[in-house]
Amino acid sequence: MRHFLRQPWLFTAMVGLCGGIAMLALYVVQPVALQRLDLRIYDALLPLRRLSQPSAVPVVIDIDEESLARHGQWPWPRYLVADLVDRLASRGVASIGLDIMFAEPDRTSPARMREGLYRDRGISLEIAGLPAFLADFDTLFAASVRAAPVVLGAFARYSGEQYHGPTPQPPAMIARGGKDAPPYDSFLPFAPGAVLPLPQFFEDAPVGFVNVSPDADGLVRQIPLLIRFGDAVYPSLALQALMRALGTDALRLYTGPDGLFSVAAGDFKIPVSREGYMLVPFQGGRRTYRYISAARVLNGTATQADLEGCIAFVGTSAPGLADIRATPFDRVMPGVEVHAAAIDAMVNGNFVQSPSWAPGAQALIIAFMTCAATLAFGFAGPRVYVPSSIGLMGATVLASRQLFMSGLFLSPLYGLLTSLLCGGLLLSVRFWHEEKQKIVLRRAFSRYVSPEVVRQISKRQGDLLAGENRELSILFTDIRGFTSLSESLSPQHVVQLLNRYFTPMTAIVRSRSGTLDKFIGDALMAFWNAPLDVPGHPALAVDAALCMQEQLEALNSEIEASFGIRLAMGAGIHTGQAYVGNMGSDDLINYTLIGDNVNLASRLEGLCKRYGVPVVVSEHTMQGCGDAFSFIHLDVLRVKGKTRPVSIYWPMRPGTDEIFQQAMPQWSLARSQYEQGDFAGAAASFAVLAAAYPAVRLFGLYHERSLTLVQTPPADWEGIWTMEGK
């Protein structure tokens, strides 16, 4: 911080950067208050998508007060609804969307009335002269539905118990997307349950869901065009009504890398979010679209000219029955008109969408506004403050307005807030800095006037070089023969090769809670359990070393193709106490560790080549891993410069030690002979293993060592091998 304060320009830039980062964080978190503000901006822009004349295709068949007064209270007998459907079909409507639930049998049917009276009152009712087709109104209604272009309404339940009854026939879904595109239904809303029409109704008629999707402020701005229910995907009532009018029973679903982005029915292509939601650009409040009373349809005064070719939605606006929805233009709009507004947008191609690239664009806008505000308010003079504010904020609003007129909603909110936040912070910092400079100037002037020396008051707080002793798991890796390999490469290629190699290796260490210490040429040093406690750190270190070997196998094909060489790596791990902390000078420090156990870990890595194994770990590390891995006991030895022997092991993942599972009886026998000083017997046993498994260098090593010991047997053999070199 003191360095920044000595560099005002750097401090100013950092303040602007912090403001930009804060706005990015706000955009990621999306607080509810900002969400609502964003929605209000959308509502303010919505009139830009208002057409001069709404489409005449959607029409609302209203079960209004006049209809109820003439034909009785709701629900009507199903024969009356059947008459309504028949008359609409006879007037040439393209399709009929029923924004009404028919989930229960009609209790007014004579057959059901007779059953009810007998059940509840014990009365046997006989009706003479009743035509057979009027015995069950549901059967009559089902026949009308079958003969007309009807879409039945259903309601999806996004919570609750799973539905296990019969389900309607879904339309065919034709997926159109690239190989990298996820399945089209990956992000669609899923409904475990639903309120469905009676099965006898949807046997011959499609079903559309009437659900809408209110935003955080309770207003409806979008509807789900597609909903996953059961094992299938079903369209909304509006989309299914359009399909019925077009005479198609299939949808084309277009997907990209981010998921679903449009749905097509016939020649009509509808942009949607990856969750399958369509933004509905409402054209106004209630009664924006034509309303025809259901009574007029039933009494025949609604002519063919009024209805032919239309998509009719049957619903109600009567008080007490209306499905009321709040929209940006009207807080009490009948829900049936939401479907009409959706159809209007579909047939006119009047869409608004939030593009999939909006998050990236918002991040770029925030970055640009951060830079522009930093330059304008952090480094320019006061005379540019007002013009800069007007220019930046005005450009953001105008750009958003133009995009909205083109059908894309990219909110200007975060650009405006970035300008305000960064501008406010930078102006505050400049004010504070100018006040500070005045104080410094006054002090400097007083020193000139008075010979008094200004006392130093800043003191260093704390010791940056402080550290602590901790138990650590320490990992060293090294590329085998890298010096000779690199002789065939130019310095630039050597750097590229090391970057290619170290990038995945570093990622492996970090993904397993390790701390990368340093790169030493082609070697890597890392440790676990500092600065924070890492439970199970020995196993994490071993897992990292094994993953590095596995990653190197995959990486070698790329390296060979690019550089013409293949790499081999050894890794050594030891667990023990070491001193860890910030070490160095006041100007340059490094968080690292020192201690005897660090040196031992480095020595273990050097043993990989000698024993022909990819990873060598100490006994302490092996004990800390528990049953996470299989371990082959390699040796007990004294490394150079150490008096205490150390047991070393070769770790393997369970299931990859097939050779040793087969050779274990012979290996145990040979090791026992070797440890007991029977070098001739051990040499013979190791010779059998070396011949059976020539690829395992370990067997050949022990065979050669046993032959040497036969010729010059030690006087005080304890089964411990002493290393003469590093």
Side-chain angles (χ1 to χ4, degrees):
M1 178 60 73
R2 191 179 300 173
H3 175 70
F4 287 147
L5 292 176
R6 291 172 184 164
Q7 303 289 335
W9 66 271
L10 184 58
F11 183 68
T12 300
M14 288 300 297
V15 170
L17 178 61
C18 289
I21 293 173
M23 283 309 307
L24 278 174
L26 280 176
Y27 178 70
V28 171
V29 174
Q30 295 276 326
V32 174
L34 292 185
Q35 288 184 39
R36 296 194 174 195
L37 190 55
D38 220 4
L39 295 173
R40 291 291 185 271
I41 293 174
Y42 173 88
D43 295 345
L45 293 171
L46 196 55
L48 297 174
R49 301 298 301 175
R50 186 178 288 178
L51 303 174
S52 57
Q53 186 66 36
S55 171
V57 171
V59 59
V60 175
I61 306 303
D62 190 13
I63 302 173
D64 54 6
E65 293 183 83
E66 177 188 351
S67 303
L68 297 177
R70 179 169 298 182
H71 297 284
Q73 66 182 17
W74 185 261
W76 285 347
R78 296 278 162 81
Y79 74 83
L80 193 57
V81 182
D83 289 345
L84 181 64
V85 168
D86 293 340
R87 289 181 180 274
L88 287 172
S90 68
R91 295 296 188 271
V93 294
S95 65
I96 304 167
L98 298 178
D99 188 18
I100 303 169
M101 300 293 106
F102 296 102
E104 297 176 353
D106 188 352
R107 292 180 298 175
T108 65
S109 294
R112 294 199 177 276
M113 289 179 63
R114 186 165 52 246
E115 292 173 3
L117 284 172
Y118 184 81
R119 182 187 62 244
D120 299 332
R121 296 285 186 176
I123 299 174
S124 296
L125 177 66
E126 295 296 331
I127 304 176
L130 184 70
F133 70 90
L134 286 178
D136 187 354
F137 296 161
D138 286 334
T139 302
L140 186 65
F141 178 64
S144 296
V145 166
R146 189 180 306 114
V150 169
V151 178
L152 298 166
F155 183 82
R157 297 190 186 276
Y158 296 122
S159 60
E161 297 181 359
Q162 190 85 18
Y163 177 83
H164 297 290
T167 56
Q169 178 68 30
M173 300 290 171
I174 304 171
R176 301 282 178 84
K179 294 181 179 179
D180 58 343
Y184 66 86
D185 60 348
S186 298
F187 307 100
L188 297 182
F190 173 71
V195 178
L196 297 175
L198 294 175
Q200 69 183 104
F201 299 153
F202 62 65
E203 284 178 355
D204 297 299
V207 167
F209 283 101
V210 301
N211 298 69
V212 296
S213 182
D215 289 312
D217 58 357
L219 301 187
V220 174
R221 299 178 179 85
Q222 58 184 355
I223 61 171
L225 281 193
L226 300 172
I227 294 176
R228 286 194 302 129
F229 170 64
D231 297 326
V233 174
Y234 293 88
S236 70
L237 182 67
L239 180 55
Q240 185 67 74
L242 177 64
M243 295 170 61
R244 191 76 162 152
L246 296 173
T248 179
D249 58 355
L251 289 172
R252 301 189 306 279
L253 307 175
Y254 296 87
T255 58
D258 296 322
L260 186 66
F261 64 86
S262 68
V263 176
D267 295 330
F268 296 88
K269 198 170 184 179
I270 308 157
V272 294
S273 69
R274 69 174 187 173
E275 294 81 13
Y277 288 87
M278 167 193 171
L279 284 169
V280 180
F282 291 98
Q283 299 298 297
R286 77 196 85 169
R287 296 192 176 273
T288 296
Y289 304 98
R290 287 188 302 141
Y291 275 64
I292 297 177
S293 173
R296 286 187 56 206
V297 177
L298 288 169
N299 64 21
T301 57
T303 65
Q304 187 154 348
D306 295 326
L307 294 168
E308 188 173 17
C310 294
I311 296 177
F313 291 96
V314 179
T316 178
S317 66
L321 298 180
D323 177 25
I324 299 300
R325 299 293 180 181
T327 70
F329 288 107
D330 196 335
R331 296 301 191 266
V332 286
M333 177 181 282
V336 66
E337 200 164 351
V338 175
H339 308 300
I343 285 292
D344 184 11
M346 294 177 191
V347 298
N348 280 320
N350 182 30
F351 300 113
V352 177
Q353 65 178 127
S354 184
S356 60
W357 45 261
Q362 290 286 12
L364 289 176
I365 290 171
I366 291 172
F368 172 78
M369 295 298 286
T370 298
C371 294
T374 301
L375 291 174
F377 301 106
F379 298 103
R383 284 182 288 185
V384 305
Y385 292 167
V386 173
S388 297
S389 299
I390 295 174
L392 289 174
M393 299 174 75
T396 303
V397 172
L398 286 175
S400 181
R401 185 178 185 276
Q402 287 301 117
L403 286 172
F404 198 89
M405 292 178 68
S406 301
L408 299 175
F409 176 59
L410 188 66
S411 173
L413 175 63
Y414 289 92
L416 296 174
L417 290 179
T418 302
S419 178
L420 291 173
L421 178 62
C422 290
L425 285 174
L426 289 164
L427 290 178
S428 299
V429 167
R430 290 191 72 168
F431 178 80
W432 170 80
H433 188 66
E434 289 176 5
E435 288 298 312
K436 186 174 178 293
Q437 283 186 323
K438 291 178 182 178
I439 294 173
V440 171
L441 288 173
R442 283 197 294 268
R443 287 179 177 175
F445 185 76
S446 67
R447 286 199 296 271
Y448 285 114
V449 174
S450 171
E452 193 173 348
V453 178
V454 179
R455 299 169 58 187
Q456 298 293 329
I457 59 173
S458 59
K459 295 182 180 179
R460 187 185 184 118
Q461 299 294 326
D463 187 0
L464 292 177
L465 304 182
E468 59 180 331
N469 277 304
R470 296 177 69 101
E471 182 187 73
L472 306 171
S473 290
I474 307 159
L475 166 71
F476 279 88
T477 71
D478 186 59
I479 299 176
R480 294 284 165 258
F482 186 75
T483 301
S484 58
L485 289 174
S486 62
E487 289 177 354
S488 61
L489 302 175
S490 66
Q492 284 182 323
H493 285 160
V494 171
V495 172
Q496 293 173 3
L497 173 61
L498 287 176
N499 288 342
R500 185 87 63 89
Y501 164 76
F502 280 132
T503 297
M505 302 305 161
T506 302
I508 289 171
V509 171
R510 290 179 173 173
S511 67
R512 285 154 181 81
S513 304
T515 301
L516 183 68
D517 187 296
K518 61 175 71 71
F519 302 113
I520 312 166
D522 60 308
L524 179 148
M525 177 183 174
F527 54 89
W528 279 257
N529 208 38
L532 299 176
D533 292 334
V534 179
H537 54 89
L540 289 172
V542 172
D543 184 54
L546 295 177
C547 281
M548 287 179 175
Q549 295 289 353
E550 294 159 2
Q551 180 68 35
L552 184 58
E553 296 225 2
L555 189 63
N556 260 329
S557 59
E558 300 179 18
I559 292 176
E560 188 172 19
S562 300
F563 303 98
I565 61 174
R566 295 182 68 84
L567 302 181
M569 179 188 72
I573 305 171
H574 175 57
T575 300
Q577 292 287 323
Y579 188 81
V580 60
N582 284 316
M583 303 177 196
S585 66
D586 287 348
D587 296 326
L588 182 62
I589 60 175
N590 183 34
Y591 188 77
T592 187
L593 59 157
I594 58 174
D596 190 56
N597 286 317
V598 181
N599 299 329
L600 178 56
S602 177
R603 299 284 180 85
L604 295 183
E605 178 276 318
L607 297 175
C608 292
K609 183 177 181 181
R610 182 182 297 269
Y611 287 89
V613 298
V615 182
V616 174
V617 304
S618 69
E619 184 176 11
H620 290 87
T621 301
M622 184 271 293
Q623 292 172 347
C625 290
D627 298 329
F629 306 96
S630 300
F631 290 90
I632 305 302
H633 188 195
L634 295 176
D635 210 345
V636 181
L637 51 81
R638 290 188 184 92
V639 297
K640 186 175 182 180
K642 307 293 181 182
T643 58
R644 297 182 60 183
V646 58
S647 293
I648 60 173
Y649 295 82
W650 174 11
M652 297 180 181
R653 298 195 189 279
T656 62
D657 55 350
E658 181 179 351
I659 291 178
F660 275 90
Q661 288 180 2
Q662 298 172 359
M664 188 55 65
Q666 185 72 14
W667 168 255
S668 300
L669 172 63
R671 281 284 304 173
S672 177
Q673 293 170 325
Y674 169 80
E675 292 172 356
Q676 293 172 9
D678 181 9
F679 302 123
S685 298
F686 286 129
V688 172
L689 286 170
Y693 305 101
V696 182
R697 175 174 169 74
L698 179 63
F699 299 150
L701 171 69
Y702 267 95
H703 178 237
E704 295 172 3
R705 184 188 295 180
S706 298
L707 291 175
T708 302
L709 291 172
V710 168
Q711 297 174 1
T712 57
D716 53 349
W717 176 249
E718 297 175 343
I720 301 173
W721 183 258
T722 301
M723 301 293 297
E724 298 298 333
K726 296 184 178 179

